[in-house]
Amino acid sequence: MNMTFTQGSPWFLGGLLTLALSGWLWAADDAQTRVAGNWMTQSKKAIIQISQSSDGTLQGRVVGGDEPGGKVDAKNPDPAKRNLPLRGQVIMSGLKYDGDGKWSGGTIYEPDEGKTFRCKVELQADDTLKVRGFIGISLFGKSQIWTRYVGASMDLPKSPDKP
């Protein structure tokens, strides 16, 4: 059997299609892999570890912060949870990958307010993460830019706005 790969042959076109699809899949996997890790919130008060949950969605867990003794979830709407430490809690969940470094359809819990908001996340080209929490539609919300945290300690210095 003679298999020549000329530009008009089905083998050549199939090979190009395979390469194109594998490149697209690699790019999707790259963004999904790059988002994993530790991120410092814009306020520099917390470190959130982003990972894939067992159901394949993106989640974020508090792993560090500026209160080494551990901040409690004082404003949680559930009184039974108000004395629990924030460190270790999943505060972001259910984010599904939309492609192109974007996730949506999840929620984010804001412990300073004790409220949960809808959430979407976008991995930026400069290795920052744009996190938007909102009510209803994305227009009614606020965004934060999180930066990748590469420090060794999960205990951050006290923020300047704290006594």
Side-chain angles (χ1 to χ4, degrees), residues 53-95:
S53 66
S54 61
D55 67 359
T57 60
L58 204 63
Q59 70 177 14
R61 178 183 309 274
V62 179
V63 294
D66 66 352
E67 293 189 29
K71 183 176 180 179
V72 295
D73 195 4
K75 295 190 178 177
N76 194 302
D78 180 350
K81 295 181 179 178
R82 291 184 184 152
N83 289 321
L84 295 176
L86 279 172
R87 204 173 280 201
Q89 286 191 34
V90 172
I91 63 162
M92 181 189 309
S93 62
L95 290 154

Coordinates of all heavy atoms in Angstrom, one line a residue, residues 53-95:
S53 N -12.2 20.3 41.7 CA -12.9 19.4 42.7 C -13.2 18.1 42.0 O -13.0 17.8 40.9 CB -14.2 20.1 43.1 OG -15.1 20.2 42.0
S54 N -13.8 17.2 42.8 CA -14.0 15.8 42.4 C -15.0 15.8 41.2 O -15.0 14.8 40.4 CB -14.5 15.0 43.5 OG -15.7 15.5 44.1
D55 N -15.9 16.8 41.1 CA -16.8 16.8 40.0 C -16.3 17.5 38.7 O -17.0 17.7 37.8 CB -18.2 17.4 40.4 CG -18.1 18.9 40.7 OD1 -17.0 19.5 40.6 OD2 -19.1 19.4 41.1
G56 N -15.0 17.9 38.8 CA -14.4 18.5 37.6 C -14.5 20.0 37.5 O -14.0 20.6 36.6
T57 N -15.2 20.6 38.5 CA -15.3 22.1 38.5 C -14.2 22.7 39.3 O -13.5 22.0 40.0 CB -16.7 22.5 39.1 OG1 -16.8 22.0 40.4 CG2 -17.9 22.0 38.3
L58 N -14.0 24.0 39.1 CA -13.0 24.7 39.8 C -13.5 25.1 41.2 O -14.6 25.5 41.4 CB -12.7 26.0 39.0 CG -11.3 26.6 39.2 CD1 -10.2 25.6 38.7 CD2 -11.2 27.9 38.3
Q59 N -12.6 25.0 42.2 CA -12.9 25.5 43.5 C -11.8 26.2 44.1 O -10.6 26.1 43.7 CB -13.3 24.3 44.4 CG -12.1 23.4 44.8 CD -12.6 22.3 45.7 OE1 -13.7 22.0 45.9 NE2 -11.6 21.6 46.3
G60 N -12.1 27.0 45.2 CA -11.0 27.8 45.9 C -11.2 27.6 47.4 O -12.3 27.7 47.9
R61 N -10.1 27.3 48.0 CA -10.1 27.1 49.5 C -9.1 28.0 50.1 O -8.0 28.3 49.6 CB -9.6 25.6 49.7 CG -9.5 25.2 51.2 CD -8.9 23.8 51.3 NE -9.6 22.8 50.5 CZ -10.8 22.2 50.9 NH1 -11.3 22.4 52.1 NH2 -11.4 21.3 50.1
V62 N -9.5 28.6 51.3 CA -8.6 29.5 52.0 C -7.5 28.6 52.7 O -7.8 27.7 53.4 CB -9.4 30.2 53.2 CG1 -8.5 31.1 54.0 CG2 -10.6 31.0 52.6
V63 N -6.2 29.0 52.3 CA -5.1 28.2 52.9 C -4.2 29.1 53.7 O -3.2 28.6 54.3 CB -4.3 27.5 51.8 CG1 -5.2 26.4 51.2 CG2 -3.8 28.4 50.7
G64 N -4.4 30.4 53.6 CA -3.5 31.3 54.4 C -4.1 32.7 54.5 O -5.1 33.0 53.9
G65 N -3.4 33.5 55.3 CA -4.0 34.9 55.5 C -3.1 35.7 56.4 O -2.0 35.3 56.8
D66 N -3.6 36.9 56.7 CA -2.9 37.9 57.5 C -3.2 37.8 59.0 O -2.8 38.6 59.8 CB -3.1 39.3 57.0 CG -4.5 39.8 57.2 OD1 -5.4 39.0 57.5 OD2 -4.7 41.0 56.9
E67 N -3.9 36.7 59.4 CA -4.2 36.5 60.8 C -3.6 35.1 61.1 O -4.4 34.1 61.0 CB -5.6 36.6 61.1 CG -6.1 38.0 60.9 CD -7.6 38.3 61.4 OE1 -8.0 37.5 62.4 OE2 -8.2 39.1 60.9
P68 N -2.4 35.0 61.5 CA -1.8 33.7 61.8 C -2.5 32.8 62.8 O -2.6 31.6 62.6 CB -0.4 34.0 62.3 CG -0.1 35.4 61.8 CD -1.4 36.1 61.8
G69 N -3.2 33.4 63.7 CA -4.0 32.6 64.7 C -5.2 32.0 64.0 O -5.9 31.1 64.6
G70 N -5.6 32.6 62.9 CA -6.8 32.1 62.2 C -8.0 33.0 62.4 O -8.4 33.2 63.6
K71 N -8.5 33.5 61.4 CA -9.7 34.3 61.4 C -10.9 33.4 61.4 O -10.9 32.4 60.7 CB -9.8 35.2 60.2 CG -10.9 36.2 60.2 CD -10.8 37.1 59.0 CE -12.0 38.0 58.9 NZ -12.0 39.0 57.8
V72 N -11.9 33.7 62.2 CA -13.2 32.9 62.2 C -14.2 33.5 61.3 O -14.1 34.7 60.9 CB -13.7 32.7 63.7 CG1 -12.8 32.0 64.6 CG2 -14.1 34.1 64.3
D73 N -15.1 32.7 60.9 CA -16.2 33.1 60.0 C -17.3 33.8 60.7 O -18.5 33.4 60.7 CB -16.7 31.8 59.3 CG -17.5 32.2 58.0 OD1 -17.6 33.3 57.7 OD2 -18.0 31.2 57.4
A74 N -17.0 34.9 61.4 CA -17.9 35.6 62.3 C -19.2 36.1 61.7 O -20.2 36.2 62.4 CB -17.2 36.8 62.9
K75 N -19.2 36.4 60.4 CA -20.5 36.9 59.8 C -21.2 35.8 59.0 O -22.1 36.1 58.2 CB -20.1 38.1 58.9 CG -19.6 39.2 59.7 CD -19.5 40.5 58.9 CE -19.0 41.6 59.7 NZ -18.8 42.8 59.0
N76 N -20.9 34.6 59.2 CA -21.6 33.5 58.5 C -23.1 33.5 58.8 O -23.4 33.7 60.0 CB -21.0 32.1 58.9 CG -21.5 31.0 57.9 OD1 -22.7 30.8 57.7 ND2 -20.5 30.4 57.3
P77 N -24.0 33.4 57.8 CA -25.4 33.5 58.1 C -25.9 32.3 59.0 O -26.9 32.4 59.6 CB -26.0 33.4 56.7 CG -25.0 33.0 55.8 CD -23.7 33.3 56.4
D78 N -25.1 31.2 59.0 CA -25.4 30.1 59.9 C -24.7 30.3 61.3 O -23.5 30.2 61.3 CB -25.0 28.8 59.2 CG -25.3 27.6 60.1 OD1 -25.7 27.7 61.3 OD2 -25.1 26.5 59.5
P79 N -25.4 30.6 62.3 CA -24.8 30.9 63.6 C -23.9 29.7 64.1 O -22.9 30.0 64.8 CB -26.0 31.0 64.6 CG -27.1 31.4 63.7 CD -26.9 30.8 62.4
A80 N -24.2 28.5 63.7 CA -23.4 27.4 64.1 C -22.0 27.4 63.5 O -21.1 26.7 64.0 CB -24.1 26.1 63.8
K81 N -21.8 28.2 62.4 CA -20.5 28.2 61.7 C -19.7 29.4 62.0 O -18.6 29.6 61.5 CB -20.7 28.1 60.2 CG -21.4 26.8 59.8 CD -21.6 26.8 58.3 CE -22.2 25.4 57.9 NZ -22.4 25.4 56.4
R82 N -20.2 30.3 62.9 CA -19.5 31.6 63.1 C -18.2 31.5 63.9 O -17.4 32.4 63.9 CB -20.5 32.6 63.8 CG -21.6 33.0 62.9 CD -22.5 34.0 63.5 NE -23.6 34.3 62.5 CZ -24.7 34.7 62.9 NH1 -25.0 34.9 64.2 NH2 -25.7 34.9 62.0
N83 N -18.0 30.4 64.6 CA -16.7 30.2 65.3 C -15.8 29.3 64.6 O -14.7 29.0 65.1 CB -17.0 29.6 66.7 CG -17.7 30.7 67.6 OD1 -17.3 31.8 67.6 ND2 -18.6 30.2 68.4
L84 N -16.1 28.9 63.4 CA -15.2 28.0 62.6 C -14.1 28.8 62.0 O -14.4 30.0 61.5 CB -16.0 27.3 61.5 CG -17.0 26.3 62.0 CD1 -17.8 25.7 60.8 CD2 -16.4 25.1 62.8
P85 N -12.9 28.3 61.9 CA -11.8 29.1 61.2 C -12.1 29.1 59.7 O -12.6 28.2 59.1 CB -10.6 28.3 61.5 CG -11.0 26.9 61.9 CD -12.4 27.1 62.5
L86 N -11.7 30.3 59.1 CA -11.9 30.4 57.7 C -10.8 29.5 56.9 O -11.1 29.0 55.9 CB -11.7 31.8 57.2 CG -12.9 32.7 57.4 CD1 -12.6 34.2 57.1 CD2 -14.0 32.2 56.5
R87 N -9.6 29.4 57.5 CA -8.6 28.6 56.9 C -9.1 27.2 56.8 O -9.5 26.6 57.7 CB -7.3 28.7 57.7 CG -6.1 28.4 56.9 CD -4.8 28.7 57.7 NE -4.5 30.1 57.7 CZ -3.3 30.6 58.0 NH1 -2.3 29.7 58.2 NH2 -3.0 31.9 58.0
G88 N -9.0 26.7 55.5 CA -9.5 25.3 55.2 C -10.8 25.3 54.6 O -11.2 24.3 54.0
Q89 N -11.6 26.4 54.6 CA -12.9 26.4 54.0 C -12.9 26.7 52.5 O -12.1 27.5 52.1 CB -13.8 27.5 54.7 CG -14.3 27.2 56.1 CD -15.3 28.1 56.5 OE1 -16.1 28.6 55.8 NE2 -15.3 28.4 57.8
V90 N -13.8 26.0 51.8 CA -13.9 26.2 50.4 C -14.9 27.4 50.3 O -16.0 27.4 50.8 CB -14.6 25.0 49.7 CG1 -14.9 25.3 48.2 CG2 -13.6 23.8 49.7
I91 N -14.4 28.5 49.6 CA -15.2 29.7 49.5 C -15.6 30.0 48.1 O -16.4 30.8 47.8 CB -14.5 31.0 50.0 CG1 -13.2 31.2 49.3 CG2 -14.2 30.8 51.5 CD1 -12.7 32.6 49.4
M92 N -15.0 29.2 47.1 CA -15.4 29.3 45.7 C -15.6 27.9 45.2 O -14.8 27.0 45.4 CB -14.2 30.0 45.0 CG -14.5 30.2 43.5 SD -13.0 30.7 42.6 CE -12.4 32.1 43.5
S93 N -16.7 27.8 44.5 CA -17.0 26.4 44.0 C -17.9 26.4 42.7 O -18.6 27.5 42.4 CB -17.7 25.6 45.1 OG -18.9 26.1 45.4
G94 N -18.0 25.3 42.1 CA -18.9 25.1 41.0 C -18.6 25.8 39.6 O -19.4 25.8 38.8
L95 N -17.3 26.3 39.5 CA -17.0 27.0 38.3 C -16.7 26.0 37.1 O -15.8 25.2 37.3 CB -15.8 27.9 38.5 CG -16.1 29.1 39.4 CD1 -14.9 29.6 40.1 CD2 -16.7 30.2 38.6

